[in-house]
Amino acid sequence: MTAEAIVLRPKKIRRVAWACAVGLVAVFTVVGILLGDTPTGVIFRTSDQVAMIFLGFLLAGGVLLLTRPRVTADATGVDVRNVVTSHHYDWNDVLSVSFPDGAAWARLELPDDEYVSIMAVQATDRDYAVSSVRALRELHKAARV
């Protein structure tokens, strides 16, 4: 029986999202800088260049939202934080922890045929996802006894 809290975060998507964010900032910065020197006859001002760079940072921030998912679970319950939403569930309210075939991420099965996706446990993380679901199931089993 595990008495400690576990914290789960996606692995692969975090690396990919950070790489994409850095790439977006770099590309938009280069485009913003080069925007002032075009032979097309269009006049771009400094404010246009700054806006282009700022747009790169905004898009990078949007991509970095994919790094936000996290699950914190202990003997009393589980906190699920996905990209936009966060919820706490007592283990007594959770019927099971599942990872359906072909699903992108695990989920908590709730009463009345409801479920909550756990975006922190993703299929692309393979072995880490398997061990994460097993750890969540152990906590759930221990709390329901």
Side-chain angles (χ1 to χ4, degrees):
M1 178 164 42
T2 305
E4 298 178 15
I6 59 171
V7 177
L8 307 171
R9 300 191 72 152
K11 301 287 185 188
K12 190 173 185 180
I13 192 69
R14 292 177 73 202
R15 291 190 302 270
V16 171
W18 273 104
C20 288
V22 169
L24 281 167
V25 169
V27 167
F28 276 79
T29 299
V30 168
V31 169
I33 291 169
L34 297 177
L35 201 59
D37 187 30
T38 62
T40 61
V42 178
I43 299 171
F44 291 104
R45 297 198 163 85
T46 305
S47 61
D48 298 320
Q49 292 173 298
V50 170
M52 184 62 73
I53 295 169
F54 181 70
L55 182 60
F57 277 97
L58 281 177
L59 291 173
V63 168
L64 288 177
L65 282 175
L66 296 174
T67 66
R68 190 173 186 271
R70 182 181 72 199
V71 170
T72 306
D74 59 18
T76 60
V78 59
D79 292 312
V80 178
R81 183 175 77 184
N82 288 329
V83 174
V84 179
T85 62
S86 294
H87 298 285
H88 173 80
Y89 300 96
D90 290 329
W91 284 122
N92 292 331
D93 297 331
V94 177
L95 298 178
S96 67
V97 178
S98 66
F99 207 129
D101 287 339
W105 42 73
R107 66 188 192 182
L108 297 177
E109 305 285 342
L110 303 174
D112 299 326
D113 292 328
E114 293 181 321
Y115 66 88
V116 174
S117 296
I118 306 174
M119 296 179 76
V121 181
Q122 299 185 358
T124 57
D125 290 333
R126 301 187 190 279
D127 292 337
Y128 176 74
V130 171
S131 64
S132 298
V133 169
R134 286 182 179 154
L136 288 171
R137 285 178 178 164
E138 284 179 23
L139 283 172
H140 180 248
K141 181 180 177 182
R144 301 282 303 236
V145 173

